[in-house]
């Protein structure tokens, strides 16, 4: 329906849009999103030829808009902007009929058109048709702005941050209304916003721009599942859910910074390290920091006087798991083994961390409540 092919624009030596390529299908609700100044408005205005690209083409139903008469485009493309821009000296009815009048639609149909239009947004004709914009609330004015864009029945409607000046309640209700209208009337809508909530609610296709480049063009679900960059992820923010509980691994539920001791160290050093860290066992590693086992204060008390290094006191019975092992399996092992902790090993057999009941509970709480 709308296709951008290698569209670029420069102002002086500044690149405003850099080789945009994307397609919006008929009946789709496409949302252009991105940080302020990324080129959303510029992109939108190219569709109805308010701005022309330096290079590339924009096709509307296969027809190059650069070769389409502006008057023809107006008939086919409605346009709604943030500052509604209703004509203050015209009534609601007259405002709605601006485009039909420009297009030379016979006057006899206007009354009926205005009735149908107002009915779509639940504004009774009798109370509203003859009011002036100044007599309407911001939300009502924006509704009339939308109706004005729809009045000539264009298949495509461009909307540039149409709701951003409205309070959240009004905004919400207009979002629902525009989505319903779009589905009922089967319009193709290109909608600019910098609000990801709005984009996710409304869009079939989200085109994410940054500094004139398309960072990602995807359906909302796809974007949520596979955000292309950290910037997209930041925009999605709280909408991105963490891994599901079934996907958690040992690494997600372990605690790190575990105290280890080399197997060649003496009894004395081992004891002082235990005292310093206030623990009654230490993990023992070799020169390459690979896990060898554990040593406990109990064993040191019993037989520490007959050995020089801790090597002979190392026990190998504490259960070990790998960093990628399933967290639920670790939980079951911890519960059934009777040991106070599990040792988590990296693939090279070095110590990655330990899983205790506390570290497990903390990870679960984090997952449940954030
Ligand atoms: N007439 C202009 N002359 C020079 N630069 C402009 C002009 N209009 C817009 N720009 C620049 O083009 C970039 C894109 O602007 P715009 O499309 O309005 O961004 P957005 O709508 O995403 O906030 C911005 O960096 C802006 O400063
Ligand atoms: Mg803008």
């Amino acid at each position: 329906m709308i296709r951008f092919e290698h569209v670029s624009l420069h102002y002086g030596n500044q690149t405003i849009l850099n080789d945009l390529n994307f397609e919006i299908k008929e009946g789709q609700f496409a949302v252009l999103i991105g940080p302020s100044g990324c080129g959303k408005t510029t992109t939108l205005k190219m569709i109805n030829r308010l701005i022309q690209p330096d290079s590339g083409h924009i096709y509307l139903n296969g027809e190059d808009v650069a070769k389409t008469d502006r008057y023809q485009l107006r008939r086919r493309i409605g346009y709604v902007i943030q500052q509604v821009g209703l004509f203050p000296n015209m009534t609601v009815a007259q405002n709605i009929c601006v485009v039909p009048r420009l297009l030379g639609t016979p006057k006899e149909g206007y009354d009926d058109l205005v009735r149908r239009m107002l009915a779509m947004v639940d504004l009774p004709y009798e109370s509203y048709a003859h009011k002036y914009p100044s007599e309407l609330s911001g939300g009502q004015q924006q509704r009339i702005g939308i109706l004005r864009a729809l009045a000539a029945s264009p298949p495509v409607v461009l909307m540039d941050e149409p709701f951003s000046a409205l309070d959240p309640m009004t905004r919400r209700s207009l979002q629902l209304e525009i989505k319903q209208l779009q589905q009922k009337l089967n319009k193709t809508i290109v909608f600019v916003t910098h609000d990801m909530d709005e984009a996710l609610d409304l869009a079939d296709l989200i085109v994410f721009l940054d500094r004139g480049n398309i960072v990602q063009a995807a359906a909302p679900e796809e974007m949520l599942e596979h955000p292309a960059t950290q910037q997209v992820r930041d925009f999605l923010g709280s909408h991105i859910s963490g891994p599901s509980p079934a996907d958690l691994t040992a690494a997600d539920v372990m605690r790190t910074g575990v105290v280890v001791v080399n197997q060649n160290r003496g009894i004395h050093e081992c004891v002082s390290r235990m005292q310093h860290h206030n623990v009654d066992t230490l993990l023992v590693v070799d020169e390459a920091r690979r896990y060898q086992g554990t040593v406990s204060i109990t064993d040191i008390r019993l037989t520490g006087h007959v050995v020089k290094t801790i090597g002979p006191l190392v026990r190998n019975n504490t259960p070990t798991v790998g960093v990628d092992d399933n967290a639920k399996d670790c939980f079951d092992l911890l519960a059934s083994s009777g040991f106070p902790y599990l040792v988590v090993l990296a693939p090279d057999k070095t110590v990655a961390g330990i899983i205790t009941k506390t570290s497990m509970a903390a990870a679960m709480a984090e997952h449940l409540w954030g």
Side-chain angles (χ1 to χ4, degrees), residues 168-185:
M169 289 269 285
T170 309
R171 190 180 177 132
R172 188 78 204 121
S173 86
L174 279 184
Q175 284 168 356
L176 293 173
E177 245 162 51
I178 195 67
K179 187 75 188 171
Q180 282 166 4
L181 277 180
Q182 181 247 351
Q183 286 168 347
K184 197 162 77 187
L185 305 176

Side-chain angles (χ1 to χ4, degrees), residues 173-237:
S173 86
L174 279 184
Q175 284 168 356
L176 293 173
E177 245 162 51
I178 195 67
K179 187 75 188 171
Q180 282 166 4
L181 277 180
Q182 181 247 351
Q183 286 168 347
K184 197 162 77 187
L185 305 176
N186 192 36
K187 301 289 178 197
T188 305
I189 294 189
V190 191
F191 188 104
V192 166
T193 185
H194 56 261
D195 175 354
M196 192 50 104
D197 290 333
E198 196 164 71
L200 290 171
D201 275 352
L202 296 176
D204 301 309
L205 171 72
I206 301 178
V207 179
F208 193 108
L209 293 166
D210 181 37
R211 285 168 289 175
N213 290 281
I214 294 182
V215 178
Q216 186 168 19
E221 304 74 33
E222 162 76 9
M223 192 167 279
L224 283 168
E225 251 173 69
H226 305 288
T229 64
Q230 186 58 42
Q231 187 190 27
V232 175
R233 200 171 288 123
D234 291 344
F235 257 76
L236 291 165

Side-chain angles (χ1 to χ4, degrees), residues 11 14 16 35-42:
Y11 287 137
Q14 196 191 350
I16 306 296
S36 181
C38 67
K40 305 181 290 292
T41 296
T42 308

Side-chain angles (χ1 to χ4, degrees), residues 80-87 91-93 95-96 117-118 120-125 127-129 131-149 162-163 165-167 169-171 173-174 177 181:
V80 186
I81 54 175
Q82 181 188 322
Q83 265 71 36
V84 191
L86 294 180
F87 299 108
T91 64
V92 163
N95 266 287
I96 291 175
M117 286 281 143
L118 287 174
M120 287 197 295
V121 295
D122 285 326
L123 294 175
Y125 176 91
S127 337
Y128 288 96
K131 284 204 162 130
Y132 285 89
S134 60
E135 300 174 274
L136 305 176
S137 71
Q140 288 167 344
Q141 291 184 31
Q142 204 58 5
R143 283 183 172 82
I144 304 305
I146 293 168
L147 296 183
R148 188 175 61 180
F163 307 145
L166 303 173
D167 65 89
M169 289 269 285
T170 309
R171 190 180 177 132
S173 86
L174 279 184
E177 245 162 51
L181 277 180

